[in-house]
Amino acid sequence: MTARDSADILVVGTGFGGAITAYHLAAGGAKVVMLERGPWVASDEFDHDFLLGSSYTRIFDFVVGDGMSVLGGNCVGGGSVVYFAAMPRVPGFVFERRGSLGRRMWPASITRDTLEPWYDRVAESLPITRQDWNDVTYSGGLFAAACAHAGRTANPAPAAIDRDRCTNCNWMMSGCRFDAKRSLLLNYLPAAVAHGAEIRPLHEVQRLSRTPDGYRVHYTHIDGDDYRVTAGEGTIDAKIVVLAAGAGATPVILQRSAAELGTLPPAVGRYFSGNGERLNTAVFDEDRVREVLGLHHPGGAYAASQVGKGPCVTSWDRLDGTLPEFERFTLEQLYFPPGFGTILAQIPGAGGEPTWFGPEKKEMLRRWQSWLTIFTMSEDDNEGVFGPPPPTGNAVRISQQMLGRGSLRYDPTPNTLRGWAAADAEVKDILERDGLATVEPWTNDLVGAYTVHPLASCRIGDDPATSALDDRHELRGHPGIFVTDGSAVPGALTVNPAFTIAALAERAVPGIVRAAQDHGVAVGYGAPAPDGVTSARRAATPLVRDMVGGG
């Protein structure tokens, strides 16, 4: 049986791109319905284990592609539930990137200066603080000390964390049961609901089709225990559709819709970026750490990760706009569960070649409590391409939760490989000095590259040939369809992208409001932050004066 419903505006996804737009549109008076593929998990349901059926497997989506695997959120709140809460602003040079296009990738209307008021709007709604050195984990301090020893700098990252609530449990990657991490579950989403928005979890959007005055969104209802099983289907008609399902799902929905929507922009499902991400594992010699750096903890670096408040410590030394493109990157120390490292960390084999198994790997695993993971965010070449969409969803589900096989193809170019090599060399230079550690990159042999920050698969830009969206985030040739998630970001950012995705979503809202008004929806723009604060709203108002009547 097919259920039928309608709304003024239908938002697909509840992460940063979806929650922010839904809040403002609902606060402006529109009837808003949000469809979320994953479950709605309450704070007290976030488990501190990795068992099948725990929050860990329920709220993640791990899709293996050809040369690239993508790890993302799969729950109400999306990536904000599973991220490390690091919220840096993007350096100005990123907006001038040319990549392999030979011209500016970003729309001319967007620079660091023009995006600044929208960053401020997010910061007012999602307070961001910088921890001091009394708060950081021992492992973060160890990374910072190694950087200083090598003549580099490192600092605690700005983060959306309530430090009074943080218990140092270090399970934030699996959701925060103490509400210390300021996910969207605590601000934009409840505020949207308070203004009448409806959130429907376990609804997976399959495709869009046209109606006389808008679009019809076709979805299936997913079983809460086994995501391979459906429990019915339905449609919702809406005058405006906002796609914010994530850079690994939004282009797939559009690809599957092409037969009914008509010709799509050629950039849909192309130019995917993994944010230039790469990981290295450093196995420390605790005796050398004590001798060289004067640091010691009885449990070793990782066993003491819970001593201090996260999320991470970052080195921005290579974020220099005068450096050549593809040689700029961030190095970030963070906590990855031992299971990930167990699978992917390499070790020199008997013949010196890298391997991910064998007796050498077994010895490495024995010392996991002395590991640190160093995360690189660099500049890639937007080389990812989505193939034909799977029959349903964004991937062919392999297990009942979390794991799937997708259509993304990724073959890194020499530019991307050069950036990774430069970052790997920097990590080794910092951490192997004076015998502090042995550094090995995570293997690409099993699943190719991997990213936790997928971007650019349906991006904004000025060139219709290479950008699926105009600078208002509207899908070219399809008025009333907007994209506000990481898909819309033009390329790799060299830093954690959550803050920028959120700022771009804030910036997109006035244009969505105007389009909704043109389609007969009684909606306005100008809501304060979810908690009622208005100073950043006042700063942004001159940018959209024609939308708010000059007030």
Side-chain angles (χ1 to χ4, degrees):
M1 180 176 179
T2 300
R4 295 190 182 278
D5 202 350
S6 65
D8 292 333
I9 300 171
L10 191 287
V11 179
V12 182
T14 57
F16 286 103
I20 289 171
T21 53
Y23 163 66
H24 285 292
L25 295 165
K31 178 185 177 183
V32 177
V33 173
M34 307 180 72
L35 300 185
E36 167 58 51
R37 178 183 60 192
W40 196 330
V41 182
S43 298
D44 59 3
E45 295 180 272
F46 291 124
D47 301 299
H48 288 181
D49 63 48
F50 303 114
L51 297 176
L52 179 65
S54 69
S55 65
Y56 180 77
T57 61
R58 293 172 64 205
I59 65 178
F60 275 105
D61 185 44
F62 185 68
V63 177
V64 179
D66 180 3
M68 171 69 74
S69 293
V70 178
L71 181 67
N74 183 57
C75 57
V76 173
S80 76
V81 174
V82 301
Y83 76 148
F84 284 102
M87 296 287 272
R89 302 187 187 207
V90 168
F93 67 76
V94 166
F95 298 96
E96 304 303 322
R97 286 197 61 209
R98 300 166 69 89
S100 59
L101 294 179
R103 58 186 176 277
R104 194 176 191 269
M105 295 164 56
W106 283 77
S109 59
I110 302 179
T111 66
R112 169 62 187 270
D113 288 342
T114 62
L115 198 58
E116 200 72 11
W118 306 107
Y119 277 125
D120 292 342
R121 287 225 68 178
V122 178
E124 192 170 63
S125 305
L126 198 77
I128 297 164
T129 59
R130 186 186 296 275
Q131 63 193 352
D132 64 30
W133 289 112
N134 294 316
D135 290 323
V136 302
T137 60
Y138 174 84
S139 50
L142 175 55
F143 176 61
C147 285
H149 178 68
R152 275 75 161 187
T153 59
N155 295 282
I161 292 178
D162 183 337
R163 305 202 179 281
D164 292 333
R165 286 180 173 270
C166 181
T167 66
N168 312 336
C169 72
N170 219 355
W171 281 88
M172 69 163 57
M173 190 177 173
S174 298
C176 180
R177 66 183 296 121
F178 307 107
D179 289 341
K181 181 167 64 175
R182 292 182 171 113
S183 75
L184 299 170
L185 297 172
L186 305 176
N187 36 74
Y188 283 103
L189 287 174
V193 171
H195 284 282
E198 182 181 353
I199 301 174
R200 301 181 185 180
L202 297 171
H203 283 60
E204 183 173 62
V205 171
Q206 304 299 333
R207 71 186 195 281
L208 311 182
S209 60
R210 293 190 183 276
T211 65
D213 62 349
Y215 297 93
R216 179 163 293 159
V217 179
H218 303 255
Y219 66 84
T220 52
H221 192 197
I222 304 299
D223 182 82
D225 294 320
D226 190 337
Y227 298 162
R228 299 168 296 184
V229 176
T230 59
E233 59 184 24
T235 64
I236 299 179
D237 290 354
K239 295 179 179 179
I240 300 291
V241 175
V242 178
L243 291 175
T250 287
V252 179
I253 292 171
L254 288 173
Q255 287 177 321
R256 195 180 291 115
S257 305
E260 293 171 279
L261 290 182
T263 302
L264 296 174
V268 170
R270 300 183 65 85
Y271 304 108
F272 174 94
S273 167
N275 202 34
E277 292 176 357
R278 185 157 172 80
L279 288 139
N280 284 268
T281 299
V283 184
F284 277 83
D285 182 326
E286 297 295 340
D287 291 334
R288 293 299 294 160
V289 168
R290 183 167 49 248
E291 293 167 10
V292 175
L293 302 179
L295 297 178
H296 175 67
H297 190 280
Y302 245 18
S305 272
Q306 291 84 353
V307 180
K309 300 181 180 182
C312 48
V313 169
T314 304
S315 173
W316 288 285
D317 284 304
R318 297 292 297 186
L319 293 188
D320 181 349
T322 66
L323 292 172
E325 195 170 358
F326 303 103
E327 294 182 15
R328 302 173 295 203
F329 52 82
T330 293
L331 301 179
E332 195 168 83
Q333 171 276 325
L334 48 76
Y335 176 85
F336 256 80
F340 279 102
T342 298
I343 297 170
L344 295 172
Q346 293 187 121
I347 196 73
E353 72 288 349
T355 182
W356 58 275
F357 62 92
E360 294 84 2
K361 178 67 173 289
K362 185 175 181 180
E363 172 60 21
M364 183 183 186
L365 297 181
R366 187 184 66 80
R367 299 176 57 197
W368 73 268
Q369 288 185 321
S370 293
W371 287 12
L372 289 186
T373 302
I374 308 301
F375 182 48
T376 294
M377 289 169 281
S378 62
E379 296 168 308
D380 66 8
D381 226 354
N382 291 82
E383 49 263 82
V385 178
F386 284 82
T392 63
N394 67 315
V396 175
R397 294 289 164 192
I398 296 172
S399 63
Q400 69 183 67
Q401 295 169 9
M402 189 171 173
L403 183 62
R405 179 80 191 186
S407 64
L408 177 61
R409 303 189 307 275
Y410 190 88
D411 184 14
T413 68
N415 284 333
T416 299
L417 293 173
R418 185 175 85 246
W420 287 348
D424 287 352
E426 181 88 348
V427 174
K428 290 179 75 70
D429 187 47
I430 292 170
L431 298 183
E432 291 190 346
R433 287 200 179 208
D434 295 322
L436 289 174
T438 301
V439 176
E440 296 296 339
W442 283 22
T443 181
N444 284 6
D445 299 335
L446 293 179
V447 294
Y450 24 80
T451 181
V452 295
H453 297 135
L455 304 169
S457 54
C458 196
R459 64 188 185 176
I460 55 175
D462 291 332
D463 177 12
T466 59
S467 58
L469 314 174
D470 61 24
D471 73 337
R472 296 168 61 249
H473 290 246
E474 192 167 28
L475 185 67
R476 298 183 187 278
H478 300 272
I481 297 177
F482 292 83
V483 176
T484 57
D485 57 19
S487 308
V489 177
L493 300 178
T494 68
V495 297
N496 312 73
F499 204 178
T500 301
I501 294 170
L504 288 171
E506 284 276 6
R507 178 185 174 276
V509 170
I512 300 173
V513 169
R514 168 56 61 85
Q517 292 170 344
D518 291 344
H519 282 74
V521 178
V523 60
Y525 177 77
D531 64 358
V533 178
T534 61
S535 60
R537 180 191 65 177
R538 292 196 299 272
T541 292
L543 305 177
V544 291
R545 197 169 296 278
D546 62 325
M547 298 295 304
V548 295

